[in-house]
Amino acid sequence: MSRHPAGVAIVTTTAPEGEPWGMTCSSVASVALRPPTLLVCLRAESPTLAALLRVSAFAVNLLHDRAEPVANLFASGSPDRFEKVEWAVAPESGLPHLTEDAHTVADCRVSATLPVGDHVVVFGEVLRVEARTDGPVSPLLYGMRQYWSLTAPGGDGER
């Protein structure tokens, strides 16, 4: 699957004590329209997954093509990652949104989980979507072990 480009997202949640958690994820898919449902696949031993399951809620922050450093930061496991990015708690959901690096954020309530190998598939019913409206959006993609972006016709898209 490393040869198949996919959109890059950061899954965020808040532990019951209020601490934000998050991790980079390229295993995100739309599952259903009614009710609107997404799935994310997270490493079974992930502290982000543990926090997400405790509060039964998460946000999917879809990254724009200038957010490669943030994707790397949240993939690194750095304990201070939220101190290095702009984020805010969404008043409606109480979930962390990456305010500068995401072009769209979907707040989800956990509707089901399915353990598969060393990962857990988390299904989330989408409660609300917040999309940036301040210009064109070019999503960050990852495939063939490198980051990509969509570009205007005629561009190669490679970063």
Side-chain angles (χ1 to χ4, degrees):
M1 291 305 295
S2 68
R3 294 177 178 258
H4 182 70
V8 182
I10 294 179
V11 174
T12 57
T13 192
T14 304
E17 304 79 27
E19 181 181 6
W21 288 91
M23 63 181 288
T24 301
C25 180
S26 61
S27 297
V28 177
S30 173
V31 176
L33 291 175
R34 290 189 183 88
T37 304
L38 299 177
L39 71 75
V40 296
C41 299
L42 305 176
R43 187 174 47 83
E45 300 301 318
S46 164
T48 298
L49 174 63
L52 178 159
L53 294 175
R54 288 179 62 203
V55 297
S56 293
F58 61 98
V60 177
N61 296 265
L62 301 175
L63 300 184
H64 58 67
D65 64 356
R66 296 172 314 282
E68 181 180 335
V70 174
N72 287 329
L73 174 65
F74 276 78
S76 74
S78 172
D80 61 348
R81 62 191 97 172
F82 279 94
E83 296 170 19
K84 297 179 178 180
V85 299
E86 294 292 324
W87 66 282
V89 173
E92 301 87 359
S93 66
L95 295 168
H97 285 196
L98 302 181
T99 56
E100 297 297 319
D101 299 296
H103 63 77
T104 304
V105 182
D107 291 331
C108 302
R109 175 180 58 230
V110 174
S111 58
T113 61
L114 176 65
V116 179
D118 60 355
H119 279 65
V120 175
V121 181
V122 180
F123 296 89
E125 182 177 345
V126 178
L127 303 176
R128 75 190 50 74
V129 175
E130 182 179 307
R132 292 179 76 167
T133 58
D134 58 351
V137 173
S138 183
L140 183 63
L141 304 174
Y142 187 79
M144 300 179 71
R145 309 251 184 250
Q146 62 185 342
Y147 288 100
W148 300 72
S149 68
L150 299 176
T151 59
D156 67 6
E158 191 172 332
R159 293 186 48 78

